Amino acid sequence: MRVLTTGGAGYIGSHTVLALIEAGHEPVIFDNFDNSSPEAVRRVAELAGRDIELIEGDLLDADAVDRVLSVGNFDAVIHFAGLKAVGESTAQPLRYYRTNVVGTLNLLDAMQANGVCQLVFSSSATVYGTSGASRCAEDLPLGTTNPYGTTKLQIEQILDDLAASDPSWHVAKLRYFNPVGAHASGRIGEDPRDIPNNLMPYVSQVAVGRRDHLSVYGGDYPTPDGTGVRDFIHVVDLAAGHVAALEALPEFPGARAWNLGTGEGNSVLEVVRAFERASGKSIPFEIVDRRPGDVAELVADPSRARVELHWKAERGLEDVARDSWNWQRNNPFGYENSDGDADA
Ligand code: WQD
């Protein structure tokens, strides 16, 4: 299938574009490089052994988006593009609603106007934020605790109403748990712009010497070692989940949610220990106060995806730590300072 991938130069997007090519599809990247790098596209092309069509553009330019869909001859869209920092969204709600919600509305208008009605949407487990459940199945009541999460929930509701209005729509709402890791080659990986909000890139930057220690947000949670427990899913497994959802879409009219997680929980300290084993480095840490908005535990029930998408995560925490370290030590400053030479 010819697939428009919005945000396809980003962390999850780049890994998914590679997986799409390997599965015989034809992805086209649409990205504004607000939180991604053209170098990532060059490296995906290097790994794929073929050029990748790239359109630099912004979903807030509705005319440009319509032009892309009108001439692109796309069979489907995978929609990654959006802002995703929880803390930042609390400080800049209008920017988050505009970029994530208005951007998506522009995309959906263009898709509808040009007869493209197959969509895989990058949603998030953050929509379970107020459920109080530590193990989440898709039929849990949804609720959010920050503007970022609310944009994801609102977009899911928009997609539900759109699919109910027009039976030609087939929509997969993929709820990611905690995406981590990198392609085994070490050539593509997570490259956060500023100080990482998330645990794994922060640990990774401590290991490579960019940060001097990790602050562990809370050691008094009702969990085995007192630190937060999450479902860390390897980004290569997550990418495979997108290919599985894309290929299953014709069987699922309407809009349907699937959790993409491992179903296993690991604590913050277990992540630190795994990273120390993988890197051979000591990760100094200090246990500090809980981070506002955090929950003790959030783990997927991934059984619906296993049954309906014939997909399950194959990689565990050791794989994640090994591949994250391999990416970080080969790219201490991410994609920057790359002179574009594929052999850099
Ligand atoms: C994981 C655990 C922290 C950083 C968020 C979003 C979610 C998704 C993934 C976009 C928690 C602890 C973290 C640190 C720490 N993003 N931690 N020190 O909060 O589970 O999920 O990112 O889709 O929507 O909500 O991920 O990696 O920030 O935190 O102790 O420096 O690590 O308290 O227990 P989170 P995280």
Side-chain angles (χ1 to χ4, degrees):
M1 296 169 79
R2 189 163 155 82
V3 187
L4 181 68
T5 56
T6 73
Y11 171 42
I12 299 164
S14 56
H15 286 82
T16 303
V17 163
L18 180 57
L20 285 165
I21 292 169
E22 289 170 346
H25 298 289
E26 189 186 349
V28 173
I29 293 175
F30 181 87
D31 206 303
N32 67 0
F33 297 118
D34 177 54
N35 186 27
S36 56
S37 162
E39 175 62 16
V41 180
R42 280 191 283 274
R43 294 196 189 182
V44 171
E46 164 205 312
L47 291 167
R50 48 154 279 191
D51 287 341
I52 296 167
E53 211 175 323
L54 166 61
I55 304 166
E56 184 169 356
D58 196 309
L59 288 176
L60 293 181
D61 180 347
D63 292 340
V65 178
D66 185 60
R67 277 195 302 276
V68 168
L69 268 296
S70 65
V71 303
N73 189 30
F74 296 109
D75 302 300
V77 174
I78 302 183
H79 178 32
F80 294 104
L83 299 173
K84 60 157 211 147
V86 170
E88 185 183 61
S89 77
T90 304
Q92 304 174 32
L94 293 182
R95 176 170 169 241
Y96 269 70
Y97 286 110
R98 185 177 308 108
T99 302
N100 292 4
V101 181
V102 174
T104 301
L105 288 171
N106 289 346
L107 174 66
L108 296 173
D109 279 338
M111 288 176 70
Q112 188 162 56
N114 294 285
V116 181
C117 300
Q118 308 281 316
L119 173 68
V120 175
F121 171 58
S122 166
S123 190
S124 168
T126 200
V127 300
Y128 299 121
T130 58
S131 69
S134 53
R135 190 170 177 78
C136 303
E138 290 86 352
D139 54 2
L140 267 181
L142 304 182
T144 50
T145 59
N146 59 75
Y148 157 74
T150 305
T151 68
K152 292 297 185 182
L153 182 55
Q154 288 180 344
I155 294 166
E156 285 206 11
Q157 290 164 339
I158 290 165
L159 294 171
D160 292 345
D161 291 343
L162 176 61
S165 75
D166 176 349
S168 45
W169 282 91
H170 293 228
V171 177
K173 304 178 288 185
L174 301 185
R175 294 173 182 162
Y176 311 161
F177 280 71
N178 289 65
V180 288
H183 187 264
S185 65
R187 296 291 289 154
I188 55 176
E190 188 169 12
D191 182 16
R193 275 268 181 277
D194 312 307
I195 300 174
N197 301 297
N198 295 136
L199 175 67
M200 193 58 84
Y202 201 102
V203 167
S204 181
Q205 288 188 11
V206 171
V208 83
R210 281 180 65 183
R211 311 277 166 202
D212 67 304
H213 76 286
L214 169 74
S215 296
V216 174
Y217 298 143
D220 59 350
Y221 282 106
T223 59
D225 64 17
T227 64
V229 171
R230 295 292 185 277
D231 184 330
F232 295 101
I233 174 169
H234 195 295
V235 66
V236 173
D237 283 328
L238 190 63
H242 285 73
V243 177
L246 176 76
E247 293 177 349
L249 263 185
E251 301 162 47
F252 293 94
R256 189 166 179 76
W258 284 281
N259 289 336
L260 294 188
T262 67
E264 301 295 322
N266 285 113
S267 76
V268 173
L269 292 184
E270 284 174 331
V271 168
V272 170
R273 299 290 175 241
F275 217 92
E276 287 182 325
R277 286 193 296 276
S279 64
K281 307 279 186 184
S282 156
I283 309 285
F285 66 86
E286 180 194 358
I287 296 188
V288 298
D289 290 342
R290 296 183 177 187
R291 182 172 62 178
D294 276 358
V295 296
E297 188 164 346
L298 200 66
V299 173
D301 171 352
S303 49
R304 179 187 282 186
R306 188 174 62 248
V307 171
E308 297 182 356
L309 304 184
H310 315 295
W311 169 90
K312 72 178 178 67
E314 307 290 343
R315 294 163 181 82
L317 190 60
E318 299 306 317
D319 302 308
V320 163
R322 180 196 64 231
D323 294 339
S324 293
W325 174 240
N326 187 38
W327 152 255
Q328 190 71 78
R329 70 183 176 82
N330 284 299
N331 305 272
F333 291 90
Y335 291 114
E336 74 178 44
N337 301 337
S338 303
D339 56 15
D341 169 2
D343 301 323

